[in-house]
Amino acid sequence: MMQRSLSHIVRKSIYCGRYFHTTAVRSTLTQVPMAPPDGVLGLVENYNMDENPNKINLTVGVYKDGWGQVTTFPSVAQAQKIIDMDGQMNTDLSYLPISGCEDFKKHTIDFLYRDGCPHDGPALIDEGRISFVQTLSGTGALAVTAKLISSFISTKIWIPKPSWPNHTNIFKKNGFTDIYNYSYYSEGQLTIDKWLQELRDIVSKDKSGIPNTIVLHACCHNPTGLDPTRKQWEQIIDVIHELKMVPIIDMAYQGLESGNLIDDAYLLRLCLDKSRYRTWPNGLYLCQSFAKNMGLYGERVGSLSIVTPDSIPKIKEILESQLKQIIRSMYSSPPGYGSRVAKLVLSNDKLKYQWYDDVRAMVARLKSVRTMISERLGWEDIINFEQQHGMFYYTNLNPGQVKILRDDFSVYLTNDGRMSLSGVNKSNVDYLCNSIKATLHKMH
């Protein structure tokens, strides 16, 4: 008699008097489907197994220097040395508070709202209108924001099309049930007019009384690298404010647009401009990260700050109480070492000015990469420095062309054609551009 496979059966023993009787119970784990691999990290795994000595990884948004190495910024390295020499700072491994390190909080708020928004920010600090928590980088800030808003304010979110793929994942997994995409980009151009018309047509007709939230890339849009001009941002924020939407600013790349960390906070400054927008009734949410602009990728250093309306008594304390509950249930408290490094860089004038120089040097290298590619391929839009910014460039290569680059030349881009420019340097730019030329010729 053929024996049945019970690989998906759990045996359950039931005590009946003097004997145990074993029954078979079908496991509901068999209903769990296989999740698709991450669109970026899955490609990294393939890259790591590739044996081609000329292989190029242009997938992950991690900054590499001109020799292809992920190196520590001089400002961060100096901060680490100071920490290493301070025995107490280096050996205290106790938990941080739920909302994070108090010194990190003070200096990050000062950096974002005093330095970054000198006209309107200091008053918000002095009036106690900024709720703040340290988070697991920008991704953690978005997740905490999503949980808070979906629990108390809205489950409707607008995300640009295209956008960082994890945006939809984060909001979907944290309570948002109505996820819309607004038109952002098509055939190499921003579609601002279409974007705003969609908001006017749909949001203005929403009579539910529940506000719509919207995700805004502060600068260096991921994946396209293409940002609105300052004038276009004014049009955009005017409409968002008029429609009483709730803005969530994702500022993961501050400094990587212009090389100037303060200049790149322009979207936050615009939203806080009291001469244009007196208040945001449901708050303004800033999800910020030091991963890219300090190179603290694995240390997970970021923050969520909420600019609260001035019309609700004790709203800052109320929101912070809820944020603490959310964080406690997610990961209890943030890690300590990275926040010590960031706090030291922000609080030490010498290190802070060195950091500003580090960011300028990083952006100068990324611009030189754009120029090298443009010279070899004739791609003029890649050096449109008025709107093309940051670490990423949207090549408009289709999935078939991306596959040829990967299979025939071991050049790895994400499937949407996004290129991480920091993976390009003088030693591989010719191989990259020749591979692209050969791919385009093959597809013709």
Side-chain angles (χ1 to χ4, degrees):
M1 183 176 179
M2 185 179 296
Q3 188 176 13
R4 291 184 59 207
S5 170
L6 296 178
S7 61
H8 64 287
I9 300 295
V10 177
R11 292 197 172 276
K12 181 178 179 182
S13 296
I14 304 173
Y15 183 69
C16 297
R18 295 171 57 191
Y19 303 99
F20 281 95
H21 293 275
T22 302
T23 59
V25 180
R26 186 174 296 276
S27 173
T28 54
L29 285 174
T30 60
Q31 300 174 23
V32 179
M34 178 70 75
D38 182 87
V40 175
L41 300 183
L43 290 171
V44 173
E45 293 176 5
N46 293 337
Y47 170 84
N48 290 336
M49 292 186 292
D50 195 321
E51 296 180 357
N52 185 341
N54 295 316
K55 65 182 180 179
I56 307 176
N57 184 2
L58 305 178
T59 60
V60 181
V62 175
Y63 178 71
K64 299 177 183 177
D65 62 21
W67 292 269
Q69 301 299 313
V70 179
T71 56
T72 304
F73 289 4
S75 55
V76 171
Q78 291 175 43
Q80 288 178 300
K81 286 181 180 179
I82 294 171
I83 290 172
D84 288 343
M85 289 186 295
D86 186 328
Q88 183 177 357
M89 185 185 292
N90 195 36
T91 58
D92 183 2
L93 301 180
S94 58
Y95 289 119
L96 289 182
I98 296 173
S99 57
C101 170
E102 281 298 315
D103 285 343
F104 172 81
K105 170 183 177 178
K106 176 188 182 305
H107 291 294
T108 302
I109 287 177
D110 282 345
F111 167 65
L112 294 172
Y113 293 94
R114 290 195 196 277
D115 299 347
C117 306
H119 295 296
D120 299 288
L124 295 172
I125 298 172
D126 296 341
E127 294 166 9
R129 287 180 50 201
I130 300 175
S131 293
F132 182 97
V133 288
Q134 180 185 334
T135 60
L136 299 180
S137 204
T139 304
L142 286 162
V144 172
T145 299
K147 192 67 176 178
L148 177 74
I149 293 177
S150 68
S151 297
F152 301 105
I153 300 171
S154 174
T155 57
K156 302 175 183 180
I157 186 80
W158 289 78
I159 296 172
K161 183 179 181 181
S163 191
W164 180 46
N166 209 21
H167 274 145
T168 298
N169 186 39
I170 289 168
F171 287 96
K172 185 177 181 179
K173 297 295 185 182
N174 285 283
F176 278 80
T177 55
D178 299 305
I179 298 176
Y180 308 97
N181 293 112
Y182 59 83
S183 298
Y184 185 86
Y185 172 95
S186 177
E187 297 182 353
Q189 301 292 325
L190 293 183
T191 53
I192 304 295
D193 292 340
K194 187 176 181 182
W195 166 8
L196 297 183
Q197 193 59 53
E198 287 169 354
L199 295 184
R200 287 192 180 100
D201 288 346
I202 298 174
V203 178
S204 65
K205 296 175 183 177
D206 185 348
K207 305 303 181 184
S208 67
I210 300 171
N212 285 248
T213 55
I214 186 167
V215 173
L216 304 170
H217 293 237
C219 60
C220 305
H221 179 269
N222 180 4
T224 69
L226 197 59
D227 296 319
T229 64
R230 306 291 173 92
K231 194 69 179 175
Q232 287 173 327
W233 270 123
E234 290 179 0
Q235 292 177 267
I236 293 162
I237 302 304
D238 281 352
V239 171
I240 290 171
H241 189 264
E242 171 193 329
L243 295 174
K244 297 180 174 59
M245 300 183 76
V246 183
I248 301 171
I249 300 176
D250 185 355
M251 193 158 69
Y253 299 96
Q254 183 184 4
L256 273 72
E257 174 178 326
S258 66
N260 186 311
L261 286 149
I262 303 306
D263 281 358
D264 283 5
Y266 60 83
L267 182 58
L268 180 61
R269 282 194 298 275
L270 173 61
C271 290
L272 298 182
D273 184 349
K274 286 186 177 179
S275 67
R276 298 180 72 93
Y277 321 109
R278 184 188 171 279
T279 189
W280 294 92
N282 289 290
L284 180 142
Y285 299 76
L286 177 66
C287 300
Q288 172 268 343
S289 170
F290 288 116
K292 305 296 192 298
N293 59 23
M294 277 194 193
L296 293 172
Y297 301 100
E299 297 302 329
R300 315 309 292 145
V301 188
S303 71
L304 164 62
S305 50
I306 307 171
V307 179
T308 61
D310 57 5
S311 56
I312 307 174
K314 297 185 177 180
I315 187 60
K316 175 178 177 291
E317 291 79 4
I318 292 169
L319 289 177
E320 288 183 350
S321 73
Q322 294 294 341
L323 290 172
K324 288 177 182 178
Q325 279 212 343
I326 291 168
I327 290 170
R328 180 64 170 154
S329 69
M330 279 186 177
Y331 53 86
S332 195
S333 64
Y337 181 77
S339 64
R340 292 175 198 156
V341 174
K343 182 267 295 184
L344 198 52
V345 171
L346 293 170
S347 62
N348 182 304
D349 286 344
K350 183 179 178 181
L351 294 180
K352 193 173 183 180
Y353 294 138
Q354 177 63 56
W355 176 42
Y356 283 21
D357 287 341
D358 296 341
V359 173
R360 277 192 286 269
M362 174 170 55
V363 172
R365 196 187 96 69
L366 292 173
K367 286 186 175 181
S368 74
V369 167
R370 290 175 177 273
T371 300
M372 287 192 297
I373 293 173
S374 178
E375 289 171 349
R376 287 159 176 78
L377 294 177
W379 290 354
E380 294 186 2
D381 63 317
I382 198 172
I383 52 173
N384 170 21
F385 294 131
E386 182 183 11
Q387 289 188 278
Q388 267 288 340
H389 308 130
M391 197 176 292
F392 300 122
Y393 171 67
Y394 218 38
T395 62
N396 279 315
L397 294 171
N398 63 44
Q401 293 166 331
V402 170
K403 187 175 187 300
I404 291 173
L405 277 173
R406 183 170 62 244
D407 294 346
D408 294 359
F409 302 100
S410 299
V411 174
Y412 288 77
L413 281 67
T414 55
N415 289 330
D416 59 4
R418 188 195 76 175
M419 179 187 293
S420 181
L421 297 168
S422 73
V424 183
N425 53 62
K426 290 179 181 179
S427 69
N428 65 18
V429 66
D430 287 326
Y431 178 76
L432 167 66
C433 293
N434 289 336
S435 299
I436 292 174
K437 288 178 182 177
T439 297
L440 294 174
H441 178 74
K442 185 173 184 177
M443 291 295 286
H444 280 90

